[in-house]
Amino acid sequence: MTAKKESGKEKKNAICEKLCFEAKKAAELADAHSIRAAEGFSGDYMKALNAGKTEREFHHFAVEMLKKAGFVELSSQNRLKAGDKVYCSIHGKGLFAAVVGHGPLTDGLAIVGAHIDSPRLDLKPNPLYEDNEMALLKTHYYGGIKKYQWVAIPLALHGVVMLKNGEKLELSIGEDEKDPVFVITDLLPHLGKDQMAKKASEVIEGEKLNVLIGGYPHPDKDIEKRFKLGVLQLLNEQYGITERDLLSAELEIVPASKARDVGLDRAFIGAYGQDDRVCAYTALKALVDAKVQNKTQAVILSDKEEVGSNGNTGAHSQLYFFAMNELQARVSGKELSRLDEQRCIENSCMLSTDVTAAFDPNYPEVMEPLNAAYCGRGIGVCKYTGSRGKGGTTDANAEYLNSVTRLFDEKKLPWQIGELGKVDQGGGGTIAYIFANAGMQVLDCGVPVLSMHSCFEVTSKLDVYNTYRAYVAFLENMK
Ligand code: MN
Ligand code: MN
């Protein structure tokens, strides 16, 4: 009896193996070897998160990481050959980096593209004012945030201030243990009757995102606005800043917290800004580690994705394409024709790598379980994005999707495929369409994230590590 039962089960397994597809589950993937490798990888990733909390800071971190690995500035090289490693800064906020392959660039590049800006609060051009003997800063939120998540938590101030003499001052206040932090105050529950009856989108209004920055008056009793002047006096003493300098500054308010292990078993990483620096870091590391191949390998790190990818540092900027053209010209050693440029783009294949929503056991109602990404199951692939009837989507061709996922299978890399939430629940999109519009083959994929766009986003260490492995496989093997 027992023997017969087992053979029945075996038969069923054999049929399933032949006919069915099921993504590998975290329980199968989390063996001791993988956990050890993921732990080792995550430490450096978390340092990168702490070092790069703004697009400018992450750009700086990325350039330093590339320089250490032997990359040099693209414009500093007249002729390039296979194995040469170059990078090109896009106005200090975006980056193009490449490792030259053996083949001609008209064969196209293998590109991993991520974005390095994150939702945050920007200071308004005229930020500083005083109200009832307190000094405050006006902000304008950047990207899709739930405003109520930004009150009553420690905040840091990062960015650049251009001084009157044209000098650039880089600021980071609130990260060192000895630094002060800043805060947006919230209403006490005792007086919150009306506030608590509001919709969540209105509980904290945009104009109430004012940051507390000072509470001691300027010592001169005869002047007005002593609390605002107290802060200006400090800024001037410590940094040489005047109010005029703030008008042209780019100052960003971000959570003051550091990246931390999450869970007793430390299976997760919690940090601000993992969207999309988790894909940016894993892509960079993959470019550094991948072996030189026929196809030239590249990474694009773009800015302004959270607000539509416009401007000279967003993915829409022609500068990313100029960098590709410059690379091609310096490899071929001749002036490029329009046809050479277009051939390179047409034959390029790209992973548009951005985080996707991970299935959250607290909110199963917004997910369609068969087509959701799950923590611990590896890189999440999205054939298309968009909202409602796939509005605004770029849809990867079946041929290309097949070639990428076959590669993942061949290399025994865990991957899963799905959509961002239920149909008509919302949606999203990223930089894929911009490069697809130019003519490249582009596929959306990335690390599943819990609490996306919050001040403390959560990823699985296994996913971070397996995503890095997927990018190495892509860069080394795409034909
Ligand atoms: Mn993103
Ligand atoms: Mn985002």
Side-chain angles (χ1 to χ4, degrees):
M1 280 300 280
T2 321
K4 199 180 166 192
K5 247 191 211 162
E6 268 175 9
S7 78
K9 196 176 159 196
E10 271 166 26
K11 203 168 144 194
K12 193 180 149 212
N13 284 348
I15 294 170
C16 279
E17 209 162 297
K18 189 177 163 199
L19 299 179
C20 302
F21 173 81
E22 213 173 333
K24 282 231 156 50
K25 299 224 163 72
E28 294 168 77
L29 295 165
D31 55 72
H33 172 78
S34 302
I35 291 173
R36 211 167 27 245
E39 284 291 334
F41 188 87
S42 298
D44 286 338
Y45 165 52
M46 289 161 79
K47 279 185 206 147
L49 286 173
N50 293 338
K53 282 193 166 183
T54 67
E55 60 285 11
R56 283 179 191 266
E57 288 175 0
F58 197 89
H59 167 277
H60 178 76
F61 168 85
V63 168
E64 291 305 306
M65 180 173 163
L66 290 172
K67 276 191 194 160
K68 257 187 226 152
F71 285 69
V72 294
E73 249 180 281
L74 173 59
S75 59
S76 73
Q77 305 297 302
N78 274 330
R79 275 308 296 278
L80 292 169
K81 56 177 189 322
D84 283 351
K85 305 168 181 182
V86 291
Y87 69 87
C88 172
S89 170
I90 310 293
H91 288 304
K93 298 176 183 175
L95 198 65
F96 172 83
V99 177
V100 179
H102 296 285
L105 266 86
T106 40
D107 286 355
L109 290 79
I111 306 170
V112 182
H115 70 90
I116 54 175
D117 61 315
S118 294
R120 60 177 191 253
L121 309 178
D122 287 338
L123 294 198
K124 286 193 186 184
N126 273 305
L128 184 60
Y129 69 104
E130 72 170 64
D131 195 345
N132 283 284
E133 305 196 301
M134 285 189 278
L136 298 123
L137 295 169
K138 283 252 152 232
T139 68
H140 194 141
Y141 67 98
Y142 171 100
I145 62 166
K146 289 177 166 178
K147 298 184 212 53
Y148 64 78
Q149 293 176 336
W150 287 76
V151 297
I153 59 163
L155 299 168
L157 180 69
H158 290 238
V160 299
V161 181
M162 298 305 299
L163 301 178
K164 234 181 268 150
N165 60 8
E167 205 183 303
K168 182 158 83 180
L169 183 81
E170 286 174 31
L171 275 187
S172 167
I173 310 171
E175 297 297 339
D176 193 284
E177 282 298 303
K178 293 187 196 114
D179 282 354
V181 293
F182 311 99
V183 72
I184 297 166
T185 53
D186 194 6
L187 194 56
L188 63 167
H190 316 63
L191 299 177
K193 185 171 79 66
D194 293 344
Q195 185 197 36
M196 298 298 275
K198 288 183 185 173
K199 287 199 297 189
S201 60
E202 291 159 11
V203 163
I204 303 293
E205 290 154 38
E207 286 297 348
K208 287 200 185 343
L209 292 172
N210 302 315
V211 178
L212 185 60
I213 188 170
Y216 288 144
H218 189 283
D220 188 343
K221 291 191 174 113
D222 298 329
I223 51 172
E224 280 182 16
K225 296 187 180 165
R226 290 173 63 204
F227 289 84
K228 173 182 167 179
L229 276 164
V231 169
L232 278 175
Q233 177 84 23
L234 267 178
L235 285 175
N236 194 254
E237 280 168 11
Q238 292 181 15
Y239 307 105
I241 297 173
T242 67
E243 189 172 24
R244 164 69 180 81
D245 303 326
L246 295 178
L247 309 188
S248 57
E250 283 180 6
L251 290 168
E252 305 178 9
I253 298 287
V254 297
S257 55
K258 297 265 191 290
R260 300 290 296 264
D261 287 332
V262 172
L264 201 56
D265 57 5
R266 301 173 186 264
F268 302 96
I269 296 164
Y272 163 72
Q274 297 203 71
D275 173 8
D276 183 33
R277 295 181 196 120
V278 65
C279 293
Y281 177 79
T282 45
L284 269 179
K285 184 85 173 84
L287 183 69
V288 164
D289 292 349
K291 292 188 187 69
V292 181
Q293 303 293 338
N294 241 20
K295 219 174 176 69
T296 292
Q297 303 154 339
V299 161
I300 285 172
L301 301 182
S302 71
D303 178 32
K304 297 285 184 288
E305 191 275 345
E306 299 294 357
V307 290
S309 294
N310 291 306
N312 60 8
T313 58
H316 277 297
S317 169
Q318 290 302 306
L319 295 179
Y320 293 96
F321 292 100
F322 284 163
M324 284 173 55
N325 293 344
E326 187 175 349
L327 178 77
Q328 192 180 0
R330 289 179 196 275
V331 171
S332 68
K334 63 179 176 81
E335 214 165 301
L336 299 185
S337 70
R338 180 79 185 89
L339 204 62
D340 293 332
E341 294 174 8
Q342 195 50 46
R343 282 273 175 271
C344 175
I345 289 169
E346 185 187 343
N347 292 325
S348 288
C349 52
M350 183 183 196
L351 292 181
S352 163
T353 59
D354 201 349
V355 294
T356 187
F359 187 94
D360 187 336
N362 281 331
Y363 302 98
E365 64 277 10
V366 300
M367 294 292 186
E368 191 267 280
L370 206 53
N371 287 286
Y374 294 81
C375 278
R377 295 188 191 176
I379 187 168
V381 176
C382 290
K383 186 176 186 297
Y384 48 81
T385 53
S387 52
R388 297 176 306 283
K390 300 191 184 178
T393 187
T394 165
D395 196 337
N397 296 326
E399 294 86 340
Y400 180 54
L401 174 56
N402 174 263
S403 67
V404 174
T405 51
R406 253 188 315 130
L407 170 66
F408 291 166
D409 281 344
E410 228 174 78
K411 301 291 170 193
K412 302 204 168 4
L413 290 161
W415 61 277
Q416 46 185 331
I417 189 161
E419 298 188 339
L420 192 124
K422 272 185 182 167
V423 176
D424 287 340
Q425 189 68 46
T430 178
I431 62 171
Y433 72 96
I434 298 161
F435 297 92
N437 285 356
M440 287 183 196
Q441 298 284 5
V442 187
L443 176 64
D444 271 304
C445 62
V447 177
V449 170
L450 294 162
S451 304
M452 196 196 293
H453 279 207
S454 77
C455 297
F456 198 68
E457 301 175 313
V458 174
T459 54
S460 145
K461 287 182 183 172
L462 281 170
D463 291 337
V464 175
Y465 177 61
N466 282 322
T467 296
Y468 153 76
R469 292 175 63 215
Y471 296 164
V472 173
F474 176 83
L475 291 172
E476 286 186 346
N477 295 286
M478 286 314 287
K479 296 282 181 292

